[in-house]
Amino acid sequence: MITIHTLIDAGIFSLKSRGVTSRNITGVFCCDLLSIAMGKAPAGCAWVTVTGNKNTLAAASLADVSCIILAEGVSLSEADLSCAVQEGITVFETALPVFDAALKIKELLS
C-alpha cells in the first residue's frame, strides 16, 4: 500500500490540488462514467479518468476515493480546481493515456 505522499514523491504526475497526503491508496480504478464511478469506485482508490469537471469532484467525494488522476492531458478549469483545493481533494494531471497512468500506479502498489 502507498500513500498520496508516495505518489507525489514519485513525480509521475503533475500535482494540481493537494489533499491529505498521508491518505492510503488502496488500488486503482479507471472509469469515465460518473454514475458508475460513484457506485463502483472502491474507497481509497486512485481514480484515473478523462472526465475533468466539478461533477468529477463530487463523484470522487461521494465514492471516497483517495485522489483523482486526470489523464490524456485533461485539466480542470480554474473554478473547478479552486473547488478541489477548497474540498481537500487531491488531483493530479498527466498526458499519459488512462491505461498507462493506471499501470504506473499499479507498479507503485506492487
Side-chain angles (χ1 to χ4, degrees):
M1 190 171 316
I2 64 170
T3 64
I4 291 173
H5 186 72
T6 306
L7 193 54
I8 293 169
D9 285 348
I12 302 166
F13 309 122
S14 175
L15 180 65
K16 295 299 176 178
S17 171
R18 182 184 302 258
V20 179
T21 60
S22 62
R23 184 152 188 210
N24 288 329
I25 296 174
T26 57
V28 62
F29 180 77
C30 301
C31 183
D32 296 323
L33 293 174
L34 300 180
S35 58
I36 291 175
M38 284 188 295
K40 296 197 178 217
C45 73
W47 177 20
V48 184
T49 183
V50 295
T51 307
N53 58 46
K54 193 170 189 171
N55 293 331
T56 306
L57 301 174
S61 182
L62 286 170
D64 194 29
V65 303
S66 287
C67 61
I68 301 168
I69 296 93
L70 296 173
E72 304 276 352
V74 171
S75 60
L76 292 174
S77 69
E78 287 301 318
D80 292 343
L81 188 56
S82 176
C83 180
V85 170
Q86 183 178 2
E87 295 297 321
I89 300 170
T90 301
V91 178
F92 295 93
E93 292 178 0
T94 183
L96 292 171
V98 170
F99 182 79
D100 293 339
L103 279 178
K104 296 285 187 187
I105 298 164
K106 188 68 174 169
E107 288 170 1
L108 288 174
L109 286 166
S110 296

